[in-house]
Amino acid sequence: MKQIIRIVCLLAIFNSQFSILNSQTCYWVMLTDKAGTTFDPYSYFDAKAIERYRINEADLYDISNYPLNESYVQQVNALATEGVGESRWFNAAAVMATPEQIAAISNLPFVREVVAIEGDMQQTSCGPAETFSLDDLSSKNLHDQLVRMGGKYFRDKGINGKGIRIAVFDGGFPQVNTHVAFKHLRDEGRIIKTWNFPNKKENVYGWNSHGLMTLSCIAARMGDMDLGMATGAEFLLARTEIEAEPFKEEVWWQMAVEWADKNGANIISSSLGYGKDRYYTKDMNGQSYVAKAGNMAARKGMLVCNSAGNEGDDKSWYTIITPSDADSVLCVGGIMPSLTDYQRTSFSSYGPSADGRQKPNVCAFAYAWAANTGSSNGEYLMVPGTSFSCPLVAGFAACAMQSRKGIKTMELFHEIEKSGDLYPYCDYTYGYGVPQADYFTGDRKEVKPTFKFEEVKGTGAVRIIPLIENRKGRMFIKNSLANGAIVDYRQFDFADFNPGSYIEIAAGTVLTVNFNGYTESYHFAKPTNSNKEMDMTIYGDDGNQYMLFGGEDNTHFSTRLKESKGKWEPYLMLGLAVKTANNEQGIQIWSPAKHLGIRYTHYFAKAYGWGIAVDYDHTGFRFDKDNANHLDSLIAMDDNIRWLDKEVSKHRVNIGQLGLELYQRVRLVPGGIFHKGWHWDLGVYGTWGFNVYKLKGSHKNDIAGTRKEVVRQLDALDGYTWNWGVTTRISRDWLGIYARYRLNGIGKEVPADKVLLPRLEVGLQLAL
């Protein structure tokens, strides 16, 4: 009984302590005013920031630039667990606090509103990298990631981002201060400032190598070959993300944007974002605080480039991540690294935003060459993720800005869209396509028509007929409503069909087609104005119909934003019964238990849910043969039975049961291989079933020694029909540990003719 009390007490203490820790979250405390503060922009801002404000006609004296009232901040922090940071732009202090502390803070007369921070920043790299040495790479076309954007047009005119200042936000920049790929930046003093927001110090040259690789895609050089276009730019490096902080990264990202503003950034490259770990698809509508910060940065003259995200393979998340959902943030999707084949990478996130706006805006290679932290003098990696398409475009943007001196930020934003190789065609996979340097250097050539529309008389259908003999290339087709919303779009290679083939589309509203760089639209005489996917048929020159190959299923986007809050999870648990009391008679350590079942968890929030599970349980209790127990009496059966292997047989009890479990689930840390992260489950269970005691023997007079199986129902076991108790699990992705403790029968005396089975079971969980 003392053992039971100890276990219950420990569970209670753990639960209470966990509740205290879990109840703390991060909040923005929005203040009412900035009373009593003063501001001198010419002593606060870097000279390049002042020049940027002038070009973009932004107000240096805007109230958003004024500091916070320090007295307000001190009073807020005094009531909180921890002061995390501040935002001038939103007149807000960020704190870690319990609900009780937040209630007290909310009552302060200068507090306008308190908003819980939802986000958990994630890096948008995806999958393992492939390593090569400098010698290996010398035989490869390192310029493909730049050639795809027409980088030679910038290079031929000496455009390399000179004079443009780029802020890079990431989780660390190890070896940027030593790697040969960045020697030109160090030698010329073009790393202007650094700041480590989690650690509140200047050193950023450590931690996550993700930042080293994203910076590579903007400015790294190996010999005389460039990995990024903006090798002549200046840089601000900000560490804003760490692995184990589920709330603070949003604050650090916000503070980094304001830091970049102060220190004269023209462009921000952010391969970070918030998505399914904390938000729902409906939230990707430009209203998160980081999205609002991205829009504010644009109003102050900074171009924010952000990755679209790597959720393209997740069928529950058909949209991009924030802050890419912000109207004025340039959202960058990812394509495969090919100069001849135009395909989305499987992981690149789809648009649109949750409120239907065009996203992504553009795209670039999502497999890129980057410097390797494993070597400081010549090893490079091929790395996957929209983490790397984003900085490739940021470097492109720096060159575009250099080529159009004095251009306003939002003008540049739209000019980059217009430079896309699909423009004016756009869709929710590629945006306007890959930005092209020839648009900014004046080298773009006029594209001749490559197809024509032909109405099918009397049917309302239209045919798309290619005009060129060489049909290699991907055709892009979309159907849009009159308001511009895309209903359906498809891409496929015409080269898969015979020379005389053409496409016929039965109905639609506005049909837009891009083929080999030429774009044209067709308006149906009788528009459907519905969310019906295109009815497309391809015909060969022989009049036969052909199946469409190479297309993508990109239909009915409105339904994809209805994210399910429920998750199914098949599981297998393998454990052992553990003796915890003296009257748990003679149980051996090796008494295996197996549970096979399925769970359904309904999430009320991203970090909290309730669930139910059903399973089949089987436990094989093994008794110590050296200790007597009531089961021994069952050996004295019919004299005609000669027991074989008595010392083994009598010590096994097999129990099969059907189980039901109710539990609550708290997410401790998001992310992971299957995006489940760390979870803690606490619940109750009940089982109903049967206990079977099997003995095998043979008749004494049976010369052949034939074995005979004897099965006995054991009323000698306590509570064999119905059991209930508490259960808990700690799991990460597919692997976890669990414990069950049976509560029925506690406090009751066990009769002498009964056997008390162990109450505690511990083991491993495998779940999908």
Side-chain angles (χ1 to χ4, degrees):
M1 192 64 191
K2 291 181 179 179
Q3 293 282 356
I4 296 170
I5 294 173
R6 290 193 188 103
I7 293 171
V8 173
C9 290
L10 286 172
L11 285 173
I13 293 171
F14 175 78
N15 188 28
S16 64
Q17 292 299 315
F18 179 83
S19 298
I20 292 171
L21 291 173
N22 191 57
S23 66
Q24 292 187 25
T25 191
C26 202
Y27 298 87
W28 281 117
V29 180
M30 319 302 288
L31 307 176
T32 56
D33 57 70
K34 295 184 175 182
T37 62
T38 59
F39 179 63
D40 175 16
Y42 294 95
S43 62
Y44 175 76
F45 284 117
D46 183 276
K48 287 186 73 71
I50 293 173
E51 175 65 10
R52 189 193 69 237
Y53 269 73
R54 183 192 65 78
I55 291 173
N56 287 275
E57 300 178 359
D59 184 4
L60 283 168
Y61 291 93
D62 188 88
I63 190 63
S64 63
N65 290 335
Y66 277 63
L68 276 64
N69 183 306
E70 192 59 33
S71 174
Y72 293 173
V73 175
Q74 290 176 358
Q75 292 180 65
V76 169
N77 288 345
L79 294 175
T81 301
E82 176 190 354
V84 178
E86 302 173 8
S87 170
R88 290 188 176 209
W89 291 0
F90 295 128
N91 191 24
V95 297
M96 290 292 294
T98 65
E100 293 77 14
Q101 291 170 333
I102 282 299
I105 291 171
S106 299
N107 289 328
L108 294 173
F110 49 80
V111 172
R112 174 172 58 85
E113 183 183 11
V114 175
V115 180
I117 294 175
E118 300 290 342
D120 177 62
M121 187 66 75
Q122 57 181 303
Q123 298 164 334
T124 50
S125 57
C126 180
E130 185 179 2
T131 306
F132 295 89
S133 70
L134 186 58
D135 291 337
D136 292 332
L137 292 176
S138 63
S139 64
K140 296 180 180 293
N141 187 351
L142 290 179
H143 293 284
D144 280 4
Q145 60 201 46
L146 308 183
V147 169
R148 187 62 183 82
M149 297 186 285
K152 70 184 184 67
Y153 292 105
F154 283 145
R155 173 176 279 191
D156 290 348
K157 290 180 170 54
I159 298 172
N160 62 1
K162 184 177 181 180
I164 308 302
R165 189 167 291 180
I166 304 173
V168 184
F169 299 171
D170 221 297
F173 301 88
Q175 291 185 241
V176 169
N177 56 338
T178 58
H179 202 290
V180 66
F182 307 104
K183 184 176 185 297
H184 58 296
L185 300 184
R186 299 190 300 271
D187 290 350
E188 298 170 20
R190 288 192 278 115
I191 298 179
I192 306 302
K193 283 185 180 294
T194 62
W195 192 252
N196 186 327
F197 285 89
N199 295 89
K200 300 179 181 179
K201 60 183 180 182
E202 290 186 350
N203 181 23
V204 297
Y205 300 120
W207 299 278
N208 198 310
S209 62
H210 192 260
L212 169 96
M213 294 185 288
T214 58
L215 182 61
S216 296
C217 294
I218 303 175
R221 302 199 71 189
M222 43 179 295
D224 61 349
M225 294 178 287
D226 299 344
L227 297 181
M229 286 190 184
T231 56
E234 301 173 350
F235 291 91
L236 305 169
L237 305 181
R239 181 176 180 242
T240 63
E241 196 269 349
I242 62 178
E243 293 293 335
E245 289 289 350
F247 300 107
K248 297 178 183 177
E249 288 93 340
E250 183 172 347
V251 177
W252 294 329
W253 198 93
Q254 170 69 42
M255 294 173 69
V257 174
E258 297 184 25
W259 174 81
D261 175 38
K262 174 183 178 180
N263 289 293
N266 303 107
I267 297 170
I268 294 172
S269 178
S270 168
S271 294
L272 306 167
Y274 302 85
K276 59 188 176 185
D277 283 339
R278 289 276 171 183
Y279 285 98
Y280 296 103
T281 50
K282 64 181 178 59
D283 300 320
M284 300 296 101
N285 59 1
Q287 296 304 305
S288 72
Y289 275 92
V290 288
K292 292 177 180 178
N295 283 337
M296 179 80 81
R299 290 197 292 272
K300 294 177 182 292
M302 292 181 286
L303 177 68
V304 181
C305 299
N306 208 93
S307 302
N310 295 332
E311 281 71 33
D313 290 325
D314 189 336
K315 302 307 180 185
S316 67
W317 186 273
Y318 267 100
T319 187
I320 39 83
I321 58 177
T322 192
S324 284
D325 60 331
D327 180 73
S328 300
V329 170
L330 193 71
C331 174
V332 185
I335 62 172
M336 295 297 291
S338 171
L339 298 178
T340 58
D341 192 13
Y342 210 136
Q343 290 190 39
R344 179 187 70 92
T345 61
S346 63
F347 51 76
S348 183
S349 292
Y350 292 93
S353 64
D355 53 346
R357 287 175 290 107
Q358 172 61 49
K359 294 288 177 177
N361 302 97
V362 293
C363 60
F365 280 6
Y367 288 86
W369 292 109
N372 181 13
T373 52
S375 171
S376 62
N377 61 1
E379 280 200 355
Y380 292 79
L381 297 170
M382 172 69 86
V383 287
T386 56
S387 276
F388 310 108
S389 57
C390 170
L392 286 173
V393 170
F396 177 96
C399 295
M401 183 175 286
Q402 181 188 356
S403 72
R404 300 278 180 92
K405 292 188 182 299
I407 190 172
K408 293 181 179 179
T409 294
M410 289 311 296
E411 290 177 1
L412 178 65
F413 180 103
H414 295 300
E415 288 293 281
I416 291 173
E417 288 183 323
K418 291 178 182 178
S419 78
D421 57 6
L422 298 180
Y423 187 86
Y425 174 92
C426 65
D427 62 34
Y428 298 143
T429 295
Y430 304 99
Y432 290 100
V434 180
Q436 297 298 308
D438 60 3
Y439 179 86
F440 290 94
T441 61
D443 295 296
R444 176 165 290 189
K445 297 178 182 179
E446 182 181 357
V447 180
K448 295 181 180 180
T450 57
F451 65 91
K452 68 178 182 179
F453 292 114
E454 183 180 274
E455 295 182 6
V456 183
K457 294 182 180 180
T459 66
V462 64
R463 290 173 180 169
I464 306 169
I465 303 175
L467 298 177
I468 58 177
E469 293 183 3
N470 184 0
R471 295 175 174 230
K472 290 184 178 179
R474 181 158 282 221
M475 178 174 281
F476 302 82
I477 305 174
K478 71 173 180 178
N479 177 38
S480 306
L481 300 180
N483 62 4
I486 301 174
V487 175
D488 182 19
Y489 64 94
R490 308 291 176 89
Q491 307 95 35
F492 60 92
D493 290 320
F494 239 110
D496 293 334
F497 309 102
N498 63 38
S501 57
Y502 61 88
I503 292 175
E504 184 170 302
I505 300 178
T509 303
V510 180
L511 195 66
T512 305
V513 179
N514 178 287
F515 186 43
N516 286 332
Y518 177 74
T519 300
E520 188 176 342
S521 295
Y522 175 85
H523 294 254
F524 284 86
K526 295 181 179 180
T528 59
N529 287 312
S530 69
N531 286 320
K532 182 180 179 181
E533 63 183 273
M534 288 183 285
D535 182 6
M536 301 174 61
T537 306
I538 190 162
Y539 293 92
D541 52 11
D542 54 4
N544 291 327
Q545 296 184 18
Y546 291 85
M547 182 180 296
L548 285 175
F549 295 100
E552 295 187 30
D553 178 18
N554 300 305
T555 58
H556 304 301
F557 296 97
S558 60
T559 62
R560 289 177 170 176
L561 296 182
K562 297 176 181 178
E563 185 180 5
S564 171
K565 293 187 177 182
K567 302 291 183 183
W568 290 95
E569 182 183 69
Y571 64 90
L572 171 66
M573 297 194 304
L574 303 173
L576 296 173
V578 179
K579 179 180 175 181
T580 60
N582 291 332
N583 59 345
E584 293 175 359
Q585 299 175 7
I587 295 296
Q588 290 183 339
I589 295 176
W590 180 247
S591 288
K594 290 175 282 188
H595 307 264
L596 180 64
I598 188 168
R599 299 189 186 100
Y600 178 80
T601 308
H602 180 82
Y603 290 93
F604 298 97
K606 282 287 185 177
Y608 183 78
W610 280 84
I612 186 170
V614 292
D615 61 23
Y616 172 75
D617 311 336
H618 181 273
T619 305
F621 291 105
R622 303 190 180 193
F623 290 80
D624 188 344
K625 62 183 180 181
D626 296 327
N627 292 321
N629 58 65
H630 179 61
L631 299 180
D632 292 340
S633 63
L634 296 178
I635 300 300
M637 296 167 58
D638 194 323
D639 288 338
N640 290 327
I641 300 290
R642 176 171 60 85
W643 297 108
L644 301 179
D645 243 354
K646 172 184 174 184
E647 298 304 322
V648 175
S649 297
K650 76 168 187 175
H651 298 118
R652 292 188 182 183
V653 176
N654 296 314
I655 300 178
Q657 296 178 309
L658 296 176
L660 179 68
E661 179 183 325
L662 298 175
Y663 60 92
Q664 61 175 342
R665 171 167 290 181
V666 178
R667 188 178 65 190
L668 306 177
V669 179
I673 299 172
F674 301 108
H675 301 284
K676 294 181 181 181
W678 286 91
H679 288 98
W680 176 52
D681 295 347
L682 181 64
V684 295
Y685 74 90
T687 59
W688 179 90
F690 53 91
N691 298 337
V692 176
Y693 182 26
K694 293 184 178 180
L695 298 175
K696 293 183 178 181
S698 63
H699 291 283
K700 285 182 178 181
N701 298 325
D702 191 338
I703 299 175
T706 304
R707 297 177 66 88
K708 178 180 179 182
E709 184 178 85
V710 178
V711 178
R712 287 286 184 93
Q713 295 288 344
L714 292 185
D715 58 359
L717 298 177
D718 68 308
Y720 70 92
T721 302
W722 167 250
N723 290 290
W724 60 272
V726 294
T727 182
T728 187
R729 282 180 298 276
I730 297 288
S731 60
R732 184 181 190 274
D733 286 338
W734 57 273
L735 182 63
I737 58 174
Y738 77 92
R740 283 187 166 191
Y741 194 83
R742 184 164 51 88
L743 295 176
N744 58 303
I746 285 183
K748 295 182 179 180
E749 292 294 331
V750 180
D753 62 345
K754 301 290 184 180
V755 174
L756 179 61
L757 296 177
R759 296 186 177 278
L760 180 63
E761 178 188 317
V762 296
L764 296 177
Q765 168 191 271
L766 305 174
L768 298 179

